[in-house]
Amino acid sequence: MKRIHTGIKGLDNLIEGGIPEGWGVLLTGPTGTGKTTLAIQYLYNGYKDYNEPGVYISLEEDVQDILKVMSTFNWDLNTLQREKKLVMINAIPKKSPDATEYVIKAPLFSQTFSFESICSLLEEKINEINATRVVIDGLSALALLYQDDFKIRQGLLDMTNTIRSSGCTTIYTTEIPEGSVGISRFGVEEFITHGVIILYYVREGGKRTRAIEIRKMRGTRHDQSLHPYEIAEKGIDVFSEEIAFLRDNLL
Amino acid sequence: MKRIHTGIKGLDNLIEGGIPEGWGVLLTGPTGTGKTTLAIQYLYNGYKDYNEPGVYISLEEDVQDILKVMSTFNWDLNTLQREKKLVMINAIPKKSPDATEYVIKAPLFSQTFSFESICSLLEEKINEINATRVVIDGLSALALLYQDDFKIRQGLLDMTNTIRSSGCTTIYTTEIPEGSVGISRFGVEEFITHGVIILYYVREGGKRTRAIEIRKMRGTRHDQSLHPYEIAEKGIDVFSEEIAFLRDNLL
Amino acid sequence: MKRIHTGIKGLDNLIEGGIPEGWGVLLTGPTGTGKTTLAIQYLYNGYKDYNEPGVYISLEEDVQDILKVMSTFNWDLNTLQREKKLVMINAIPKKSPDATEYVIKAPLFSQTFSFESICSLLEEKINEINATRVVIDGLSALALLYQDDFKIRQGLLDMTNTIRSSGCTTIYTTEIPEGSVGISRFGVEEFITHGVIILYYVREGGKRTRAIEIRKMRGTRHDQSLHPYEIAEKGIDVFSEEIAFLRDNLL
Amino acid sequence: MKRIHTGIKGLDNLIEGGIPEGWGVLLTGPTGTGKTTLAIQYLYNGYKDYNEPGVYISLEEDVQDILKVMSTFNWDLNTLQREKKLVMINAIPKKSPDATEYVIKAPLFSQTFSFESICSLLEEKINEINATRVVIDGLSALALLYQDDFKIRQGLLDMTNTIRSSGCTTIYTTEIPEGSVGISRFGVEEFITHGVIILYYVREGGKRTRAIEIRKMRGTRHDQSLHPYEIAEKGIDVFSEEIAFLRDNLL
Amino acid sequence: MKRIHTGIKGLDNLIEGGIPEGWGVLLTGPTGTGKTTLAIQYLYNGYKDYNEPGVYISLEEDVQDILKVMSTFNWDLNTLQREKKLVMINAIPKKSPDATEYVIKAPLFSQTFSFESICSLLEEKINEINATRVVIDGLSALALLYQDDFKIRQGLLDMTNTIRSSGCTTIYTTEIPEGSVGISRFGVEEFITHGVIILYYVREGGKRTRAIEIRKMRGTRHDQSLHPYEIAEKGIDVFSEEIAFLRDNLL
Amino acid sequence: MKRIHTGIKGLDNLIEGGIPEGWGVLLTGPTGTGKTTLAIQYLYNGYKDYNEPGVYISLEEDVQDILKVMSTFNWDLNTLQREKKLVMINAIPKKSPDATEYVIKAPLFSQTFSFESICSLLEEKINEINATRVVIDGLSALALLYQDDFKIRQGLLDMTNTIRSSGCTTIYTTEIPEGSVGISRFGVEEFITHGVIILYYVREGGKRTRAIEIRKMRGTRHDQSLHPYEIAEKGIDVFSEEIAFLRDNLL
């Protein structure tokens, strides 16, 4: 089974070297755990270390803000974009020009388009730069577009079906509401993906601890423990040799 | 009472040698516990060790992905399929060609058909290869087809009624959402099956433990403890001589 | 107050010798606790030890399956049926012939009938064999027939009113969903019955413990402790002299 | 403030000798705690010890069944009824003759009447026997008549308004569903009554303990502890000198 | 900041001498904690000790019953009413004369009026007696008038807006349902008031403990501990020098 | 990354000196934790220490009341307003003049306007005084304007989009209902803001403890502990050198 290296050494150690090619992986955890950072690091390392181009779609946060944050890690994403090794799409929900409905707006492409058309844009960009890595960042934002959980579930199904057929290895990020013990927001994310990675940020007494866990990875005899990680100067570091001891009942 | 051996020795030990013939058994647990692996191992062993053909329907995950994962155990499922000892049906929900509704699509049979017609396909295939074992993998996917729990319950009832009348011994898999303490997703699975097997994947401190339990098995003086299991190189191994000690309140 | 002996010695010990004549008793507990076994044992002992005929209606599980399971206890229910000392009615919900609605179907009587008509069938059979004992097995199945809890409550009320007027002493079984701390599924069962018996199957560490409790029995200074029981070779054995110590908070 | 003695000595000790005249008191607790027994004992003692006639309405259980149960305490309620010192009304919900709606049926008065008319029947009977004590037994049954909690709340309000204006001192019983920590079923009972008495039946390890608590009693410097009680041969005995120690978190 | 003394010495100690003039304060706690007693004591002391007249509106309990209870503290509220230093309005929900809807009925003023008109009555009475203190007793009763939480929230908003513009210092009482950990019933009470005072009545083992806490008081460096209080012979006594130790997790 | 100093020294210490320019920060916590005080202190220090004007909008509490409370800290907000360094807008929901709907009313600007028009007023005022700091105080009040959570989420999205494009650094306050473990009321606040600051007010035994935590701050290697804070004579003091130890499970 061919594996796509995340380029985050401590993380690759936990999953037999990388994510199996073509898999979709859910990256989940509460707010402020560095989901976007990890996901973009996966794309940045992908080109820098393995020469594999990638496509990034943000459903939640403005790409300009993300670029500002990522510059603190000294990742030169603008150059990558200019060299057509990375495409970053700003697909956050905005009111349509006539202010009657909410649509996805991707300003970098001077274009207003519906959520359904994201998939075709995605295919187009993947082909354009021969991408093999994809990140869909912020599934939780779908709650702003659709009132009905059932519609969201079907939208997720469509999206993952489209992406699977592209052959790309994909990370989906989603936010777990604080105080929830589940790993998905809409109840189906975990079963339309081949892997689940959880980021924890748990308070014990007066301090927060960060930990990462491989919860599922099809076709992989993956690690079964929780490990500390840091959001350090050059991005995320996973300490695969150390165990993170969290109390048993997290609420 | 005639018993159908799962061929997983540690598991057969817990249930007087096997599942009573004709029974439907619910195999349940959270994501990443190896439900699909155990279910396919039941079919693979069924032919390899007991010469009993089987039919497998996936409602959730692409059969091509499953074949890729199972190849890591060196189970040659393709040969079994060619020799008509195993039929694997890809019945995952897809948008219908005119994009107006969701239907079950089984590409291997170049055919789009509704959920209701799965039952007739199933009967046809059982007869064609004289199958005595059936696996219905991923009942949770029904949430993608039907918005209404009541309809799902009745769909489940229809399906189990159809399969019972075929005389096959059947494993149904379903996913328990993380953080739930129930054993069924739609509230009726446990009472339309003759047996319930639970897979646990419980975090204690910084580590996950896997355990299996026979929660119910009609007509069987079954084991009443939890036992460790591993997803090892050649499939699932159940350690029926060891007890798995899990903390009392799992949330 | 005349008492109807269950014929399960350890159980009769807990309730001043038996259930007061004419009472309706709710037998409840999670899946796999032997509710059906205890209920049929009540009917079997009723004839074998006290010469009292009984009527059994299954709302949930096929009577043929139940007969197969009960044969493992060496209870010859077929003979009892032939001698008109026991009537077993298969009243499980099936799609109606024209496939448009769900109805109760009782194949032994070659007849499709609605839930409402169960009561008249019941009266007819009670009179036919002079039954004094009744079992209604599987109230939870009502969730498959009615979408509306309010309708289910009223259906339950009608049914218990009908049965009370027959003078028979009746056991109703219902399943408590795993992880629930209530004793009824639809919120009214406990107040339309004169008694409540609970079966527990509680995991402590790596082992399950079975226990029985008399939760309510009108007109009876009943036992107030939990007692171990076994599903043994000849049916259920209650150890009324021993106390079962379960942890305080069962979830 | 004039007080109406319950005649249960241990209970009167906890509330400065009795319930203030004209108050409505909610008697609540899970199934099998003896609510009906305590309520009828209040009426029985009322006549036997204080020569005060009473009216009893059962909304839940057949009066014939109740009489059978009460006979085990050797309370001759039939004589009291004959002497017009006690009126017992069977007002349990039944299907109306034309089977289209549910109504309250009071067979002793050969009459089918709506819930609304209970109040006028009550007034009539209070006047007829000069009753000063009333028991309304089984408010939970209202869930069988009305689908809508809002309607139930308003029905409760009407009923308590009617009864207050009669000047009678009244006990209302209601059942707390198992596993609930509230004291009312419909969310308003506690604030339309002047007092609340709770009956507990708590499992600790393998044994149940009975306890009674005065939770509220307007105009009364009532006891603030939990006390053991027994359902003994001559009715309920409250041990007002002893404290019942229950674990802190009852679920 | 001018402060309005409650006249309950222990309480005034906790809030820099009194409630800031013009504030609205939510007084909350479960049933039987003496909310009405504390609120009326605030009005009674207001006139007796500070010569400040007050208006009281009961939304929940009959004013005649309240007068009876308050007489046990020897507070001569009737004289105060005669001397026009106190107005007590009985505004409890009753069926309208034509029995088709529920309205607020204030019998002392021989008048049926809608909830909306309470505000104008209130203004009228405040002006008539130059009141500077107001009590609105029993917000929970609004659940009997309106089926829709959204309407209740808006009604609360209207009421507090009206009262604020009168300049009076106001106590609102509301009941917390048993077993709730929130401090408001409709989800908005705490943010339309300037202060929140909580009354606790917590069971520990076999005994109940009373405690009071200042949860919020705008513009006041208020006490941050829980203190015991008693409902004694002359009303409520707060022991501001003592700390009440309650277990951490109250459910 | 340019940082906007809050001027609260202990707080700036926790976030590398200040909030990154242009960010929106959610300030959340239960009632009575000083959210309004902290937010206005941010504006007051902004002008006093850094000469940066600010705009404040209250959605919840009357600005006159807020001015009264803030005067206890000796912050002369009236002078700042006169000098056009601070604009305070009273945008609390009131009934519209024809009493048929609820609208936002901003009396200082003698104008009734809809929630949608707040954004344009905001833009106008920002330009008028060249504001670089904004506070939106009391998002929870949106529950009074909209019945539908979905509409509230979209309203929040519009508002944050408008404010982001102004370039101002903004604090949004919202109330967490008592007993909730989440950090947002409408389920989306945390993902439309770049930072989250939590204020705690936790009871342990008989005393409350105040603590502050930086839960998220994009582009910032922020502190990961809880720290005590006080609402002192001159406003909020954060003790960044001390750790606040709170019990692990706060409910």
Side-chain angles (χ1 to χ4, degrees), chain E residues 11-234:
Chain E
L11 176 54
D12 285 333
N13 287 347
L14 304 176
I15 48 174
E16 303 191 46
I19 302 168
E21 189 180 25
W23 267 197
V25 172
L26 183 72
L27 176 63
T28 188
T31 199
T33 44
K35 293 181 295 293
T36 294
T37 303
L38 193 155
I40 290 186
Q41 196 170 354
Y42 161 74
L43 296 180
Y44 177 73
N45 292 343
Y47 182 67
K48 192 175 56 76
D49 299 344
Y50 308 101
N51 206 27
E52 296 173 2
V55 173
Y56 171 87
I57 296 187
S58 173
L59 299 174
E60 201 173 280
E61 201 169 9
D62 197 289
V63 164
Q64 293 313 313
D65 288 350
I66 292 172
L67 287 170
K68 218 194 286 184
V69 172
M70 294 308 140
S71 70
T72 66
F73 301 113
N74 290 314
W75 299 340
D76 187 4
L77 301 175
N78 289 323
T79 304
L80 259 70
Q81 286 191 85
R82 261 195 319 274
E83 295 175 356
K84 300 234 175 231
K85 299 306 178 192
L86 174 67
V87 174
M88 293 184 81
I89 302 172
N90 202 28
I92 56 180
K94 293 241 165 107
K95 247 191 194 151
S96 68
D98 61 358
T100 56
E101 52 169 348
Y102 281 76
V103 295
I104 300 273
K105 217 167 136 187
L108 294 186
F109 301 93
S110 325
Q111 185 181 1
T112 296
F113 54 100
S114 71
F115 178 65
E116 277 71 21
S117 61
I118 280 191
C119 294
S120 51
L121 178 67
L122 192 57
E123 281 184 305
E124 188 195 316
K125 292 299 158 191
I126 288 171
N127 291 334
E128 196 178 312
I129 68 167
N130 292 315
T132 57
R133 297 175 180 227
V134 169
V135 167
I136 312 291
D137 197 12
L139 295 184
S140 327
L142 299 178
L144 284 165
L145 282 174
Y146 298 111
Q147 211 160 346
D148 179 350
D149 269 18
F150 186 67
K151 285 229 175 92
I152 293 176
R153 282 183 218 155
Q154 296 199 325
L156 282 170
L157 182 69
D158 286 348
M159 194 186 234
T160 53
N161 280 340
T162 304
I163 296 176
R164 273 180 199 186
S165 67
S166 78
C168 287
T169 308
T170 308
I171 290 178
Y172 300 86
T173 78
T174 193
E175 194 149 313
I176 312 173
E178 204 76 5
S180 155
V181 292
I183 58 182
S184 69
R185 190 170 179 124
F186 305 112
V188 296
E189 294 92 320
E190 68 266 37
F191 77 76
I192 55 178
T193 52
H194 304 77
V196 175
I197 299 175
I198 310 179
L199 300 180
Y200 295 90
Y201 191 49
V202 177
R203 189 174 62 73
E204 305 194 271
K207 245 189 113 34
R208 293 268 178 186
T209 304
R210 293 190 194 281
I212 190 170
E213 178 187 20
I214 311 303
R215 188 62 191 72
K216 169 170 105 171
M217 190 64 70
R218 291 280 152 92
T220 305
R221 226 146 300 128
H222 63 79
D223 179 272
Q224 298 183 25
S225 299
L226 279 75
H227 301 278
Y229 73 94
E230 269 184 22
I231 307 178
E233 270 185 42
K234 306 206 159 167

Side-chain angles (χ1 to χ4, degrees), chain A residues 12 67 95 117 120-121 126 150 160:
Chain A
D12 284 333
L67 287 171
K95 246 189 194 152
S117 61
S120 51
L121 178 66
I126 287 171
F150 186 67
T160 53

Side-chain angles (χ1 to χ4, degrees), chain D residues 90-106:
Chain D
N90 201 30
I92 57 180
K94 294 241 165 109
K95 245 189 195 150
S96 69
D98 61 358
T100 56
E101 51 170 348
Y102 282 75
V103 296
I104 300 272
K105 218 167 136 185

Side-chain angles (χ1 to χ4, degrees), chain F residues 211-229:
Chain F
I212 190 171
E213 178 187 21
I214 311 303
R215 189 59 191 74
K216 169 170 104 170
M217 190 64 70
R218 291 280 151 93
T220 305
R221 226 145 299 128
H222 62 81
D223 179 273
Q224 297 183 24
S225 298
L226 280 74
H227 302 277
Y229 73 95

Side-chain angles (χ1 to χ4, degrees), chain A residues 26-36 60-61 136-142 172-178 180 182-186 189 199, chain F residues 26 183-184 187-193 196 215-216 218:
Chain A
L26 183 74
L27 175 63
T28 188
T31 200
T33 43
K35 291 182 295 294
T36 295
E60 202 174 278
E61 202 168 10
I136 311 292
D137 196 12
L139 294 184
S140 325
L142 299 179
Y172 301 85
T173 78
T174 193
E175 195 149 313
I176 312 174
E178 204 76 5
S180 156
I183 58 181
S184 69
R185 190 168 179 127
F186 305 112
E189 294 91 321
L199 300 179
Chain F
L26 182 73
I183 58 181
S184 69
V188 296
E189 294 92 320
E190 69 267 37
F191 78 76
I192 57 179
T193 53
V196 175
R215 189 59 191 74
K216 169 170 104 170
R218 291 280 151 93

